[in-house]
Amino acid sequence: MHIFYGKAPLTAYLKSIKTTNSSIGFVPTMGALHQGHLALMKKSLLENDFTVVSIFVNPTQFNNPEDLAKYPRTLDADVEKMTALNPEIILYAPTVDDIYEGETVSKSFDFDGLENQMEGKFRPGHFNGVGTIVKRLFEIVEPTNAYFGEKDFQQLQIVKKMVSKTNLKVNVIGCPIFREANNLAMSSRNERLSTEEREKAAIIFQTLTVAKEKFKTKSAKWVTEWVQKSFENNPLFDLEYFVIADEATLLPCSTKNKNKKYRAFIAIFVNNIRLIDTISLN
Ligand code: PAF
């Protein structure tokens, strides 16, 4: 594995690759790698001459200091997983200072309102942090293609918007959600769940699947209320939001329009651990 902890040696190495006109695939992560991350890397390895992966727990996208402190950091295990997948992967695992150069603050972005819904509403400042780090990483790596999981669908739309509003020349590619055997969406946060919580969290995707079925005949309001009620008396789960939104604008669906694509989004706490999931509805 080629491992770089600083942007100067990384960019020098990438410069030698770029002179050969090769394509570079990029998979940004915060580490604690799971099968979902590895699937993004496999796709990048298939579609590009070189693959760069970043592992960086970005402080500016955490609105909750406890969540940042408890975020799993497992660099050695991550390196083992990547080496087993393909020892040619180029890893960039920078320090906070290498990225932020002494000023750990986010820039302010206008994502045409995409940032004001769901995650943006409940995690103030989160998407400014995401925009800051993804833009910085794109500037350092200058990838041809960048791969993002659809679990963070709002993040994916926001990154696409950022690229379309700046001069960054990168194709942003969304990849399907990877799920555990019980259909719980894979997430580094799942590691913090107990075995029982992890099993019971299957209810999240089950609920989304039933919601999708109900949305065929019922309104968004009806389905939303049904989901809220179904979690009301469940002591293990604390529903933060369930929203049915237009996939392009992320605005909540009030009246169904058959020309639009809709998606359901959920954020839910299991014993203070925040999980999100999403499903396409049509
Ligand atoms: O999805 C993530 O893991 C992070 O938000 C990202 C894109 C790596 C930026 O820190």
Side-chain angles (χ1 to χ4, degrees):
M1 284 251 340
H2 312 269
I3 307 181
F4 298 92
Y5 299 101
K7 59 181 172 296
L10 172 76
T11 47
Y13 183 78
L14 293 179
K15 205 171 163 194
S16 63
I17 286 172
K18 282 170 194 161
T19 55
T20 61
N21 238 343
S22 306
S23 58
I24 295 183
F26 178 46
V27 182
T29 81
M30 296 204 297
L33 301 178
H34 51 65
Q35 288 301 321
H37 295 117
L38 298 180
L40 301 182
M41 292 176 208
K42 277 183 202 161
K43 191 164 164 61
S44 172
L45 286 160
L46 271 176
E47 296 179 354
N48 300 278
D49 299 314
F50 293 91
T51 288
V52 178
V53 173
S54 64
I55 294 185
F56 179 64
V57 181
N58 173 37
T60 64
Q61 71 187 74
F62 286 81
N63 57 315
N64 176 346
E66 191 191 333
D67 196 22
L68 171 61
K70 290 199 172 154
Y71 202 86
R73 288 159 174 89
T74 56
L75 188 62
D76 292 346
D78 292 346
V79 169
E80 256 178 50
K81 286 179 192 165
M82 282 186 283
T83 311
L85 180 67
N86 188 321
E88 290 308 313
I89 290 175
I90 302 159
L91 171 64
Y92 177 42
T95 58
V96 171
D97 211 45
D98 192 57
I99 292 288
Y100 285 100
E101 298 173 342
E103 248 209 311
T104 315
V105 288
S106 359
K107 298 218 159 41
S108 192
F109 290 88
D110 173 5
F111 298 116
D112 292 347
L114 293 176
E115 71 277 28
N116 298 329
Q117 308 301 324
M118 300 168 298
E119 292 299 283
K121 239 184 222 166
F122 288 90
R123 303 182 68 188
H126 171 66
F127 286 121
N128 278 334
V130 170
T132 303
I133 184 61
V134 174
K135 184 161 182 286
R136 191 83 194 96
L137 291 169
F138 282 177
E139 286 161 352
I140 294 168
V141 177
E142 295 182 332
T144 322
N145 300 303
Y147 299 83
F148 291 82
E150 283 184 349
K151 180 172 74 68
D152 298 287
F153 191 86
Q154 189 173 9
Q155 166 174 279
L156 172 64
Q157 298 295 65
I158 276 177
V159 172
K160 284 184 178 166
K161 177 70 74 181
M162 182 184 74
V163 167
S164 81
K165 287 185 131 194
T166 57
N167 290 327
L168 295 165
K169 287 185 185 57
V170 47
N171 302 314
V172 177
I173 300 168
C175 305
I177 300 176
F178 235 74
R179 296 186 179 278
E180 302 195 356
N182 68 355
N183 279 327
L184 172 65
M186 284 199 184
S187 162
S188 305
R189 288 190 172 87
N190 295 354
E191 296 304 316
R192 293 174 54 203
L193 300 170
S194 69
T195 310
E196 190 201 347
E197 288 162 354
R198 204 158 171 160
E199 265 166 30
K200 293 205 164 144
I203 196 174
I204 301 170
F205 187 67
Q206 280 159 13
T207 306
L208 288 181
T209 310
V210 179
K212 176 175 176 143
E213 198 48 39
K214 292 192 183 292
F215 187 64
K216 287 181 183 159
T217 54
K218 306 279 188 193
S219 69
K221 184 170 180 285
W222 191 97
V223 178
T224 306
E225 283 170 5
W226 174 81
V227 171
Q228 286 164 344
K229 270 210 192 79
S230 63
F231 281 109
E232 227 164 55
N233 297 319
N234 192 326
L236 195 60
F237 296 91
D238 185 7
L239 181 67
E240 186 167 61
Y241 66 74
F242 172 86
V243 175
I244 293 179
D246 177 330
E247 219 175 80
T249 61
L250 300 182
L251 290 172
C253 163
S254 42
T255 321
K256 274 193 224 176
N257 175 336
K258 64 176 182 332
N259 299 318
K260 288 189 174 172
K261 288 194 82 185
Y262 294 105
R263 205 166 244 284
F265 297 85
I266 191 167
I268 194 157
F269 286 93
V270 187
N271 186 18
N272 267 337
I273 299 155
R274 190 173 184 277
L275 304 175
I276 61 170
D277 203 347
T278 176
I279 193 168
S280 160
L281 297 179
N282 58 337

